[in-house]
Amino acid sequence: FMPRTYLRRLAEVRPDLVPPLGLDHDCTILVELGATAPRDATPADDGSIPVNELLETALAEMVEGGLATDVVVSRSDAQRQNMWAIREAAVEITMGRSPRIDADVAVALDRVSTFLDSALAGLAKIDPDAETITVSHLGDGNVHFAVWPTSGDQDLMDRILTMIEEVTANLGGTFSAEHGIGLSKLGSMRRHKDPVAMAVMARIKRAIDPKGIMNPGKVIP
């Protein structure tokens, strides 16, 4: 899931990567299908591949039903790699600007839209001129919601991050989806992780690392 804000930032940082559907859609979604079962992967007599036919049929039905405005299907590995490069540039175009707040959250699939609406509304109240850049793995509800606040004031940044976490928690989600805790989410752990669970984690840590020399200072506040 790549909204308009993401693609416009992509055009600034990586003009060599041209989205096949342009920059002006509210959002662009990248879908990849793969199959190994012979019934799906074996070419028919006319050269068509069943799994490709399945995707193209589904996309055509979406366009006809008004669920999609435009689609492009890659016809070569080079086109596929270009599509993925557009998505995989996310770290480069996000990390290239500071100050920055990175949120790696996950909510149930049917709550992703609610999360985005609520987080943007909350941000508008705290820092109206802040900018966001978001990408999401829609298949598992993982949203990378990054914010460029108007200043690096720590209080402002903490308020924004706390708001994002509260929106996530209210939707039954998690403040850490796929990138772990490390150092940057120690505060998040302290605010949201069950104290009993953290105590158990600390005991296990002490049992296997009594000298505290294994990746010290991370994960457990």
Side-chain angles (χ1 to χ4, degrees):
F1 170 81
M2 297 171 284
R4 187 193 306 267
T5 52
Y6 175 83
L7 294 179
R8 286 185 173 175
R9 176 65 176 166
L10 177 80
E12 295 174 4
V13 179
R14 292 293 306 273
D16 57 306
L17 296 176
V18 181
L21 296 175
L23 302 171
D24 292 327
H25 296 290
D26 287 339
C27 69
T28 297
I29 297 175
L30 174 65
V31 178
E32 182 169 75
L33 250 57
T36 56
R39 67 176 184 185
D40 298 322
T42 303
D45 293 339
D46 62 0
S48 63
I49 299 175
V51 71
N52 290 356
E53 295 293 309
L54 173 64
L55 176 61
E56 292 178 6
T57 299
L59 292 175
E61 291 174 351
M62 291 179 67
V63 172
E64 291 174 4
L67 296 176
T69 57
D70 198 2
V71 297
V72 171
V73 178
S74 67
R75 298 300 180 186
S76 68
D77 191 57
Q79 290 178 337
R80 172 185 174 274
Q81 290 181 14
N82 179 69
M83 289 181 177
W84 270 112
I86 291 167
R87 166 60 181 85
E88 291 174 345
V91 173
E92 177 184 353
I93 66 177
T94 302
M95 302 293 282
R97 179 174 168 181
S98 294
R100 177 184 62 254
I101 301 164
D102 294 316
D104 169 41
V105 306
V107 295
L109 299 186
D110 60 352
R111 296 181 177 180
V112 172
S113 179
T114 302
F115 166 79
L116 291 172
D117 290 342
S118 300
L120 289 172
L123 180 62
K125 294 178 181 178
I126 299 173
D127 191 1
D129 294 324
E131 298 179 58
T132 63
I133 183 166
T134 303
V135 291
S136 172
H137 309 292
L138 287 183
D140 61 9
N142 178 199
V143 182
H144 297 287
F145 187 83
V147 178
W148 291 315
T150 53
S151 83
D153 177 73
Q154 192 61 51
D155 179 65
L156 173 65
M157 296 179 70
D158 287 344
R159 287 169 59 204
I160 293 173
L161 181 59
T162 299
M163 177 276 297
I164 296 170
E165 292 175 353
E166 288 176 350
V167 169
T168 305
N170 289 339
L171 293 172
T174 174
F175 64 85
S176 180
E178 67 170 346
H179 290 301
I181 304 302
L183 290 170
S184 65
K185 295 181 184 175
L186 290 176
S188 304
M189 284 283 282
R190 190 178 295 111
R191 288 189 291 271
H192 296 286
K193 192 70 173 178
D194 183 275
V196 174
M198 283 200 293
V200 171
M201 292 168 66
R203 290 187 64 182
I204 295 172
K205 171 72 169 172
R206 287 194 296 271
I208 63 176
D209 182 24
K211 295 183 179 180
I213 59 175
M214 297 169 57
N215 211 11
K218 301 182 178 67
V219 181
I220 306 170

